[in-house]
Amino acid sequence: MAIAQAVRQRVLALVNLWAAWSGLSPDQGTQGPLSRPENPYLGNALWYRKPAANLASWSKDWLPIGNGYLGAMVTGGTTDDMIQLNIESFWSGGPFVNSSYTGGNPQAYKAVVLGDELSQIREAIFKSPIGETDTLAPLTYPGLNYGSYSGNGFIAVSRNTTASNSNYMRWLDLDSGLLKTAWSEGKTSFEREYFCSYPTRSCTAFIKSDRPLSDTLSYSFVPLRLLRDTSTSCVDSSTIKYRGQSIDSGMTFEFLAKVQTVPRNMVQCQMILADGKEAAVLTVKHATESWITWVGDTNYNIDAGGREHDFSFKGPDPHSSLTRILSMVKSLSYDELRQLHLHDYEEGFTSKFSLDLGASPNFAKSTKEQMEDYTREKGNAHLDLLLFNYGRYLLFSSGRGVLPANLQGVWAKDERPPWSADYHANINTQMNYWGAEITDLDVTDSLWDYMAKTWIPRGQETAGILYNTTRGWVTHNEMNIFGHTGMKDWGPWVSATWANYPASGAWMMSHVIDHLDYGSGSIEWWQEQGWPLVKGTAEFWLDNLFVDTFHDDGTMVVNPCNSPEQNPITFGCAHYQQMIWEVFNGIEKGFELSGDDDVAFLSEVRAKKARLDRGLHIGSWGQLMEWKVEKDKPTDLHRHLSHLVGLYPSYSIASYPEGGAVLDLTKSELFKAAATSLKHRGDGKGPDADAGWEKVWRAACWAQLGDGEKFYNVFKYAVDTNFGHNLFSLYDPQSSDPIFQIDANLGIPGAVMNALLQAPDTSSYDSPLVITILPALPKAWSGRGSVKGARVRGGIGISFAWRDGRPYDVVLRFDRMRAYQSREVQVVHNHKVIDWFVGEAGMVRKVEV
């Protein structure tokens, strides 16, 4: 009874603290000599001297684990340890609360009227003296039941002890994907270990001590306070269940968690009264080892989102499948469970690719202390490498489930996170995957499935209702997991500024085309999934290009368009024109491999591509124009670089004039104009935002222009101003509760690689592939370093090292050539061609520098 009473008091205290959004005080630990657990001293780890503090510090101090299906954030406390929980598909809104949910589309009967109004808008824009209109109001539609990604609550791990601790350390080992803590209490040593296993779709938190615990260890679920119908219960003596619904009583979720011990069977489950509500608690006593393994899911089904399922996305109750998963997992020992995770992590993450920037880790200062020392003036090359590896880790940990990484990957603490933690596809979703192909991360299956199963079905309706188009599909800027493809009405804001972005699909197709070109996707994949995505996008744009009667130059342009999140509603936005040109290129290149015999479609693509305005115009102050009618201002510090998309991450600028020159414009003139625009957009701290992603994008663009020092200057500025102690990308890190947005984290690997290795796409497989080694290496990294296992298009693997800025041991492996069996290749360094040859499937080429 004494134990039960102590447990009840402990859990009640935790429930009250966390339900009220208060925070636990951090365990202070000692500031004396550090103990030396093995992994932090390998150097590839984030490590800290104290546990994370309260819930307000979640985004800047807690540490993440995940397997795509599940995510968790951990404080690493010694007495009270909180584990915040996420399920990738747990959302409010959609058809779960409204069976008549339309995906943000108006009713189908309005299609004729909307088509007429859109025609009038186009005509008004072309006839306007400034090529603009004031509103697209007839086309926007309230985002009813749009919903939001949501947190699920917490697991509270509590020890009934008052002992003081010393020699505390916690660290996230990026070489193993294990999160660890270690400390001492008197003569007793403790270790915790946390990981989420992809093979078992489960997460585990393990604790051991070098002598049996005399205090009671308890585990309990703590629900988020706004979730509906939450309950916890004992399934058996060592298993608890946690169920509930989203804040709007729509989607159902469930967790099952089982505790195991050494010695065995030292667990009991009790129902206690906590905060006026019964709660299940698992308690452990006299064990030397204990671990809790949890599984979780919802009744969301991505395969039930089509017309044949009434766009319901509804699947079975998750309980039965979770019971099966947990039954399998509980048959494994902790070591077996751990080894499954380690093998998967090594196979998918550490064994295929590595980067060395030549810097030694600082073992005297924690990651927090190093971040506090990091400035734009001096940087820290080892911390740069850690951020690079961390970005890959976060994508690997959030992108391998059923759904792709969202605005927060898979981690969100609240019921309504900022921007719904959804999918913004006017830079954010794209940036999430910048580093995937080039660093050989196999994380994109969920991205293709998401587009095919949530965008296309409703996107076909959007194309018909809003654009009077009978073929293809379209979506806009903001997407949920329920097929929201319409123009989301922003209410009091200028809706078109954010909502009018039908080019999201066109930009995303660059990832689809790259997947084939890099050799990551098979011919079968291209035929079954890649090609239908790209063809549907192209079909939509074939019906939505119009002869430019404003300039009367015979070219075809988009009308209407908003350059992403800019106000003018106009025509011929450079961003759209560049991306559509690249989609049409992808059609021409991929048609032969597609198995498609629709030659009339191919002919139409070629004909309209020949007339398409390329979106490459130089303005009055030497800038690359963002709009075909000049509206650019030298003082515009807008966060987006939309008209520079063809510089990076795409290629219509980067590979120019490959594919044909425009009005005798030379590459040097085009690059100079792009540099002028980039310079005038500032470093990413304009009056409209101060995000990490806008700085990372700028850094990548400077790298594409070959300026290593400007690349690194802006890169350091991003790290200095937009990253927390846990290396999360944040809005206003100095805030008491800053906003986490993952795109800058996931964009860093792509931006860094763009300074070390470039091979932009071409308009034809017959064109030489130009591979540039160390195109923008900053002096701070020039001493020595290496890249091993990188991938470039053409199905080519590449490894090289450098010393004093000069590459050596350059090896190209033609081991994944799928689209073709040979390719002309130029290898460039320091603006000189150092090798020129025809690579063939299976070839290994050593390049002499």
Side-chain angles (χ1 to χ4, degrees):
M1 291 297 292
I3 293 175
Q5 181 66 18
V7 169
R8 179 185 178 279
Q9 290 175 348
R10 196 72 183 166
V11 172
L12 178 58
L14 286 170
V15 170
N16 287 337
L17 281 169
W18 291 81
W21 301 107
S22 179
L24 296 172
S25 299
D27 299 306
Q28 294 302 310
T30 65
Q31 295 299 310
L34 293 175
S35 60
R36 296 180 64 90
E38 179 185 358
N39 285 324
Y41 290 91
L42 297 177
N44 193 23
L46 291 69
W47 68 276
Y48 305 87
R49 301 177 190 272
K50 295 179 181 181
N54 55 31
L55 191 59
S57 76
W58 178 89
S59 62
K60 54 185 177 182
D61 288 322
W62 297 38
L63 292 175
I65 56 175
N67 59 16
Y69 304 107
L70 302 172
M73 295 281 283
V74 182
T75 63
T78 59
T79 302
D80 297 315
D81 191 18
M82 298 301 293
I83 303 170
Q84 183 266 316
L85 305 172
N86 285 109
I87 300 171
E88 62 164 343
S89 60
F90 186 52
W91 270 68
S92 59
F96 286 78
V97 293
N98 181 358
S99 61
S100 299
Y101 179 69
T102 67
N105 291 319
Q107 297 300 317
Y109 72 84
K110 296 183 178 180
V112 174
V113 172
L114 290 174
D116 289 342
E117 295 195 12
L118 181 57
S119 295
Q120 294 172 24
I121 289 170
R122 289 187 180 119
E123 184 177 2
I125 290 173
F126 277 144
K127 289 184 176 179
S128 163
I130 59 173
E132 289 186 25
T133 191
D134 294 330
T135 181
L136 292 180
L139 303 181
T140 60
Y141 195 72
L144 301 173
N145 304 123
Y146 182 81
S148 175
Y149 187 53
S150 174
N152 291 92
F154 306 86
I155 294 176
V157 185
S158 180
R159 293 174 52 238
N160 187 26
T161 181
T162 58
S164 60
N165 67 77
S166 60
N167 297 326
Y168 178 88
M169 182 181 287
R170 65 184 171 115
W171 67 100
L172 176 57
D173 179 10
L174 301 181
D175 287 328
S176 65
L178 297 173
L179 173 58
K180 299 187 177 186
T181 60
W183 72 95
S184 299
E185 293 179 8
K187 296 181 179 181
T188 305
S189 297
F190 293 84
E191 291 183 20
R192 291 191 198 267
E193 195 167 73
Y194 318 77
F195 61 89
C196 288
S197 165
Y198 177 77
T200 62
R201 295 180 63 157
S202 66
C203 299
T204 299
F206 171 86
I207 183 172
K208 72 174 181 178
S209 61
D210 57 8
R211 61 188 67 191
L213 294 172
S214 59
D215 51 76
T216 300
L217 177 66
S218 67
Y219 301 90
S220 58
F221 283 109
V222 181
L224 284 183
R225 61 176 180 170
L226 297 182
L227 298 182
R228 301 292 183 87
D229 299 326
T230 57
S231 64
T232 63
S233 58
C234 295
V235 176
D236 56 40
S237 62
S238 59
T239 308
I240 54 176
K241 178 171 64 176
Y242 168 38
R243 282 177 67 90
Q245 292 185 323
S246 55
I247 56 174
D248 51 12
S249 300
M251 190 179 291
T252 296
F253 73 90
E254 179 173 305
F255 287 92
L256 294 176
K258 183 174 184 64
V259 170
Q260 295 171 272
T261 61
V262 174
R264 297 178 64 183
N265 301 322
M266 309 297 287
V267 193
Q268 60 176 328
C269 190
Q270 306 171 71
M271 295 300 297
I272 67 169
L273 193 65
D275 199 24
K277 187 175 183 178
E278 279 199 319
V281 182
L282 292 168
T283 57
V284 175
K285 193 171 176 65
H286 301 308
T288 57
E289 298 180 10
S290 175
W291 64 98
I292 183 170
T293 299
W294 65 95
V295 295
D297 205 350
T298 70
N299 59 335
Y300 173 82
N301 181 4
I302 196 172
D303 292 317
R307 182 178 297 277
E308 66 276 17
H309 297 280
D310 294 325
F311 304 104
S312 73
F313 289 98
K314 291 183 180 180
D317 187 284
H319 179 74
S320 295
S321 63
L322 293 178
T323 300
R324 288 193 297 271
I325 295 171
L326 192 62
S327 177
M328 181 272 293
V329 172
K330 73 180 183 181
S331 68
L332 303 172
S333 69
Y334 177 71
D335 285 342
E336 289 171 333
L337 191 60
R338 187 179 188 269
Q339 286 303 314
L340 273 175
H341 161 73
L342 291 175
H343 175 75
D344 170 71
Y345 191 85
E346 179 182 14
E347 187 178 66
F349 187 78
T350 59
S351 65
K352 296 193 294 184
F353 173 90
S354 66
L355 173 66
D356 177 14
L357 294 180
S360 299
N362 185 344
F363 296 131
K365 291 188 175 183
S366 69
T367 303
K368 175 182 177 179
E369 293 164 325
Q370 292 183 61
M371 280 297 293
E372 290 171 342
D373 288 346
Y374 195 106
T375 67
R376 190 175 189 177
E377 287 69 37
K378 63 180 182 180
N380 177 334
H382 177 68
L383 202 57
D384 299 335
L385 177 61
L386 201 60
L387 279 158
F388 177 96
N389 291 336
Y390 192 47
R392 294 185 74 240
Y393 165 84
L394 291 172
L395 181 56
F396 191 70
S397 301
S398 64
R400 293 201 296 164
V402 172
L403 294 165
N406 62 37
L407 278 180
Q408 296 188 189
V410 73
W411 300 279
K413 67 175 180 177
D414 300 325
E415 300 94 334
R416 296 187 183 98
W419 297 286
S420 303
D422 65 1
Y423 299 92
H424 274 49
N426 64 8
I427 175 58
N428 315 93
T429 300
Q430 289 87 347
M431 184 179 282
N432 282 359
Y433 289 86
W434 278 3
E437 301 288 354
I438 196 169
T439 71
D440 205 10
L441 280 180
D442 184 10
V443 293
T444 53
D445 285 352
S446 61
L447 183 62
W448 318 138
D449 287 345
Y450 170 71
M451 290 191 288
K453 297 177 182 181
T454 74
W455 289 8
I456 288 181
R458 282 292 195 189
Q460 291 171 336
E461 289 194 346
T462 305
I465 295 171
L466 292 190
Y467 297 92
N468 197 26
T469 298
T470 59
R471 56 181 177 166
W473 60 274
V474 68
T475 187
H476 293 85
N477 176 35
E478 295 180 64
M479 278 70 71
N480 56 21
I481 65 170
F482 309 118
H484 185 281
T485 53
M487 285 195 199
K488 185 180 177 185
D489 194 321
W490 275 73
W493 293 281
V494 181
S495 293
T497 303
W498 287 271
N500 182 30
Y501 184 60
S504 56
W507 192 354
M508 287 303 301
M509 289 310 100
S510 65
H511 293 269
V512 177
I513 295 165
D514 281 355
H515 195 58
L516 174 68
D517 204 4
Y518 274 77
S520 307
S522 67
I523 301 299
E524 293 73 22
W525 168 83
W526 175 246
Q527 293 176 346
E528 293 172 8
Q529 192 170 52
W531 177 255
L533 282 164
V534 179
K535 183 179 181 180
T537 304
E539 285 177 323
F540 172 81
W541 285 113
L542 288 174
D543 290 345
N544 283 277
L545 294 171
F546 302 90
V547 176
D548 179 357
T549 58
F550 183 96
H551 294 94
D552 200 21
D553 58 5
T555 64
M556 303 199 78
V557 294
V558 177
N559 180 6
C561 63
N562 282 77
S563 196
E565 300 185 22
Q566 292 273 24
N567 287 330
I569 304 170
T570 181
F571 70 93
C573 299
H575 174 87
Y576 292 60
Q577 303 296 140
Q578 293 171 26
M579 296 317 306
I580 294 167
W581 185 80
E582 293 187 14
V583 168
F584 287 173
N585 269 342
I587 291 293
E588 287 190 280
K589 290 164 61 177
F591 183 82
E592 185 177 347
L593 297 171
S594 70
D596 195 339
D597 60 1
D598 189 354
V599 292
F601 162 71
L602 179 62
S603 297
E604 187 180 4
V605 166
R606 286 172 170 164
K608 290 195 174 177
K609 179 190 167 192
R611 298 183 62 188
L612 185 68
D613 188 290
R614 293 272 297 273
L616 305 175
H617 302 279
I618 296 178
S620 60
W621 44 277
Q623 86 282 12
L624 187 69
M625 289 167 56
E626 188 161 3
W627 303 271
K628 192 170 181 181
V629 177
E630 186 166 4
K631 305 175 187 298
D632 310 79
K633 298 177 181 178
T635 56
D636 182 4
L637 299 176
H638 197 275
R639 55 199 172 273
H640 283 261
L641 302 174
S642 302
H643 54 316
L644 302 184
V645 66
L647 180 67
Y648 187 87
S650 290
Y651 68 95
S652 55
I653 297 172
S655 291
Y656 183 88
E658 204 285 316
V662 178
L663 298 176
D664 298 321
L665 185 65
T666 67
K667 184 170 185 175
S668 62
E669 291 171 335
L670 188 59
F671 268 45
K672 183 179 179 181
T676 298
S677 290
L678 188 57
K679 177 182 177 181
H680 281 267
R681 277 287 159 93
D683 289 343
K685 190 178 175 65
D688 59 347
D690 184 13
W693 63 261
E694 56 188 302
K695 300 177 182 67
V696 171
W697 194 0
R698 284 159 171 77
C701 284
W702 283 119
Q704 192 66 46
L705 292 170
D707 196 325
E709 296 315 303
K710 286 185 178 177
F711 152 77
Y712 193 46
N713 185 271
V714 178
F715 178 90
K716 289 184 294 182
Y717 182 44
V719 178
D720 185 21
T721 58
N722 285 105
F723 287 79
H725 298 146
N726 63 355
L727 305 190
F728 266 7
S729 169
L730 306 174
Y731 281 80
D732 189 11
Q734 305 308 315
S735 166
S736 60
D737 187 9
I739 294 172
F740 165 50
Q741 189 171 307
I742 205 169
D743 34 34
N745 283 112
L746 305 191
I748 279 177
V752 168
M753 288 304 296
N754 206 46
L756 305 177
L757 177 66
Q758 294 176 7
D761 203 356
T762 61
S763 65
S764 168
Y765 292 139
D766 294 330
S767 302
L769 178 66
V770 179
I771 301 173
T772 305
I773 299 173
L774 304 180
L777 182 69
K779 292 179 182 178
W781 300 348
S782 64
R784 65 175 180 86
S786 65
V787 171
K788 297 179 181 179
R791 309 298 308 184
V792 295
R793 61 190 68 257
I796 304 170
I798 182 168
S799 299
F800 58 91
W802 69 87
R803 185 178 295 112
D804 297 327
R806 184 178 177 83
Y808 65 95
D809 287 347
V810 180
V811 179
L812 280 69
R813 300 180 183 277
F814 293 75
D815 54 354
R816 293 186 194 167
M817 299 187 81
R818 304 192 194 279
Y820 39 80
Q821 294 302 299
S822 65
R823 183 75 186 266
E824 185 178 354
V825 174
Q826 295 178 15
V827 182
V828 174
H829 171 64
N830 198 22
H831 307 290
K832 296 179 180 178
V833 177
I834 59 176
D835 201 1
W836 194 335
F837 62 97
V838 175
E840 297 182 348
M843 176 187 288
V844 176
R845 179 83 170 190
K846 296 183 179 180
V847 178
E848 298 298 327
V849 181

